[in-house]
Amino acid sequence: MTHSPIWHPFTQHALLPDSVFIDSSEGAYLYAKDGRRIIDAISSWWVNIHGHNHPKIVAAVQEQAAKLDQIIFAGFTHEPAERLAEKLVGLTPPNLTRVFYSDSGSTAVEVALKMALGYWAHKDKPRLGVVALDHAYHGDTFGAMSVGSRGVFSAPYGNFLFDVHRLPFPETDREHLTVEAFEKLLKTQTNDIAALIVEPLVLGAAGMRIYSAATLRSLHALCRSYGVIFIADEVMTGWGRTGTRFACEQAHIEPDIVCLSKGLTNGCLPMAATLATEDIYQAFYSTDRAKTFFHSTSFTGNPLACAAACASIDLWKENNVAELIKTLHDHQAALLPRLAARKDIENVRHIGTIMALDVCDVRQGYLSDIAPKLYRYFLAQGVLLRPIGQTIYMLPPYCVSQDDLNFIVGVIERALDALACGDLENI
Ligand SMILES: *Cc1c(COP(=O)(O)O)cnc(C)c1O
């Protein structure tokens, strides 16, 4: 398939000329054209929660497609969009009263940043400072790259990104340093900090780095004291990944803006929502047309995507998803000691349905040589796992079976053994 004209995302084609050709999917499985069955241990890049091709979601999309496929969303609305907005407002903290649709996690973040900075601009007392965590990832568009950590991904574009203030990542037992750094910043930059953006509890693309709910709570409290807009980027952590429906629930906080995407439609159609407080909405609400929120993507509020999202949310009750998440969590927890006992890995960690570990003694960073080798080994064994640098993590759909979990961990163990004796070189 080297003749394919497709330029794939995050793919170095000189090293990975052939893509795996997938024909169909069901539950936790992907079925390749060559007949292989692959366990989707990373939920197709963190988007799938209930399993692939869920019949209820498929039916909802089919039904909607026969009725209304797409409609301009400026000045128009429709039933699935209204129904979804009501659901989202009902599921999130009561301070979040407004829902803005877009179509990816990155656009949800762009919208959040534009809402926050626009809020201050319209208040006639502009605040310009944006604060983010070290190692953060918020997407690949320019605004999202700006608040994300700088590195190999953004190097060619560095000159075009706006500056943000950085807080050290809250490492275990050193979390106070993060909170103190934020407080110091707020004291020295009085009335200039517009917003803090964080991935609550887990920095996903940074290698599933976990920090405490208490720290999240302290950062939020500082935002409240200094009137800073708190943006929770729940694009990865949302929809049960960390054990609760949204990660912020564990810190008992009400963010001012929340970004949702990935699991929103069960990964079946591109969709995102940015929720905001009434206060933020009101800063744009005016008979002055210059204060309009000037942001749109062509597919904002696409009816098919809204129908998929509604069906996905309805499944939470119908399937008792909270229970499925707990069961998956317990099954993963039972497998942890096996991994933690190994000498060739460290930092075995687990939150909600996310399990991660670091392979010892290898070149650090995203360009670590072992990641592509491990990736190819896992695939050859029938498991989709995509290590980030030296971090191996799994984050499967909630319907994954205990047998499949055992199998995934067995494959990880065999990969580590193969790595130790040099056998991965030939993969
Ligand atoms: C994936 C991700 C994004 C970007 O989402 P896309 O849909 O890939 O644009 C933003 N924030 C976080 C925390 C993510 O994990």
Side-chain angles (χ1 to χ4, degrees):
M1 262 169 311
T2 37
H3 61 273
S4 169
I6 298 174
W7 191 344
H8 287 266
F10 274 62
T11 300
Q12 178 45 275
H13 283 269
L15 297 173
L16 206 80
D18 296 320
S19 301
V20 184
F21 206 117
I22 298 295
D23 262 343
S24 64
S25 58
E26 191 184 8
Y29 303 121
L30 307 169
Y31 295 94
K33 201 174 177 176
D34 60 14
R36 275 188 299 156
R37 189 186 79 174
I38 299 167
I39 304 175
D40 189 354
I42 58 163
S43 298
S44 282
W45 243 349
W46 321 348
V47 298
N48 196 276
I49 52 175
H50 307 302
H52 289 273
N53 294 71
H54 195 288
K56 291 249 166 92
I57 299 176
V58 172
V61 174
Q62 283 173 334
E63 200 179 309
Q64 184 57 44
K67 211 159 144 192
L68 173 69
D69 55 357
Q70 161 71 2
I71 175 76
I72 176 176
F73 210 57
F76 287 79
T77 192
H78 53 81
E79 191 274 334
E82 296 293 340
R83 189 153 44 99
L84 177 59
E86 247 171 62
K87 286 181 195 293
L88 292 174
V89 167
L91 292 173
T92 48
N95 66 318
L96 297 170
T97 55
R98 300 287 165 176
V99 181
F100 192 96
Y101 294 128
S102 63
D103 32 39
S104 72
S106 302
T107 54
V109 167
E110 297 290 339
V111 166
L113 293 170
K114 284 173 75 171
M115 281 178 176
L117 295 169
Y119 169 89
W120 290 110
H122 295 327
K123 287 256 167 195
D124 296 324
K125 47 177 181 183
R127 288 189 180 194
L128 304 176
V130 177
V131 186
L133 287 179
D134 274 344
H135 310 296
Y137 176 78
H138 295 290
D140 290 333
T141 50
F142 274 81
M145 273 198 292
S146 296
V147 287
S149 95
R150 306 294 158 88
V152 65
F153 309 104
S154 60
Y157 319 107
N159 288 337
F160 307 95
L161 304 179
F162 61 78
D163 284 335
V164 303
H165 301 280
R166 301 270 171 208
L167 303 178
F169 174 78
E171 305 282 359
T172 313
D173 299 330
R174 278 181 287 156
E175 288 118 328
H176 63 282
L177 297 179
T178 307
V179 179
E180 283 162 19
F182 191 33
E183 187 159 24
K184 191 172 161 204
L185 178 70
L186 291 165
K187 281 186 172 146
T188 50
Q189 306 271 325
T190 320
N191 297 333
D192 190 46
I193 302 299
L196 168 73
I197 180 165
V198 291
E199 298 164 83
L201 300 188
V202 189
L203 272 62
M208 301 298 155
R209 292 183 192 226
I210 302 170
Y211 65 96
S212 71
T215 305
L216 184 62
R217 197 172 160 74
S218 302
L219 294 173
H220 179 263
L222 281 171
C223 283
R224 277 288 150 88
S225 310
Y226 288 83
V228 171
I229 293 175
F230 182 97
I231 304 172
D233 176 356
E234 293 246 22
V235 169
M236 189 282 284
T237 52
W239 309 110
R241 274 299 161 203
T242 67
T244 44
R245 194 185 305 252
F246 301 114
C248 284
E249 291 169 22
Q250 293 178 45
H252 307 289
I253 52 170
E254 298 190 340
D256 301 302
I257 298 179
V258 170
C259 305
L260 301 174
S261 188
K262 292 198 168 130
L264 174 60
T265 64
N266 197 38
C268 127
L269 283 164
M271 167 116 216
T274 306
L275 278 77
T277 61
E278 196 58 27
D279 187 33
I280 292 170
Y281 177 78
Q282 288 299 332
F284 294 82
Y285 187 84
S286 164
T287 49
D288 178 0
R289 289 175 63 207
K291 288 193 172 177
T292 307
F293 186 52
F294 290 114
H295 192 96
S296 171
T297 49
S298 304
F299 298 107
T300 298
N302 172 262
L304 306 187
C306 290
C310 286
S312 179
I313 291 172
D314 289 345
L315 278 177
W316 277 73
K317 259 207 197 100
E318 291 168 30
N319 279 9
N320 199 357
V321 171
E323 196 55 38
L324 286 178
I325 289 171
K326 196 181 168 305
T327 305
L328 171 52
H329 176 87
D330 292 347
H331 288 160
Q332 285 176 326
L335 291 165
L336 284 182
R338 228 164 95 182
L339 289 166
R342 295 185 67 105
K343 298 266 176 296
D344 50 357
I345 55 176
E346 56 193 358
N347 303 327
V348 178
R349 49 202 185 271
H350 184 207
I351 182 171
T353 63
I354 307 170
M355 231 172 101
L357 54 91
D358 299 334
V359 180
C360 297
D361 294 324
V362 290
R363 215 181 96 199
Q364 304 270 319
Y366 183 80
L367 296 184
S368 152
D369 289 342
I370 63 161
K373 287 178 191 152
L374 286 168
Y375 169 76
R376 285 195 292 273
Y377 180 90
F378 294 139
L379 261 186
Q381 302 289 316
V383 178
L384 171 55
L385 283 168
R386 209 171 184 281
I388 303 173
Q390 79 276 26
T391 301
I392 302 173
Y393 70 91
M394 73 147 111
L395 164 165
Y398 307 150
C399 64
V400 72
S401 72
Q402 193 172 7
D403 281 350
D404 286 338
L405 282 179
N406 274 322
F407 182 77
I408 296 165
V409 168
V411 167
I412 293 174
E413 288 170 328
R414 289 206 293 283
L416 292 167
D417 293 342
L419 185 68
C421 60
D423 281 357
L424 270 199
E425 300 308 316
N426 312 318
I427 296 283

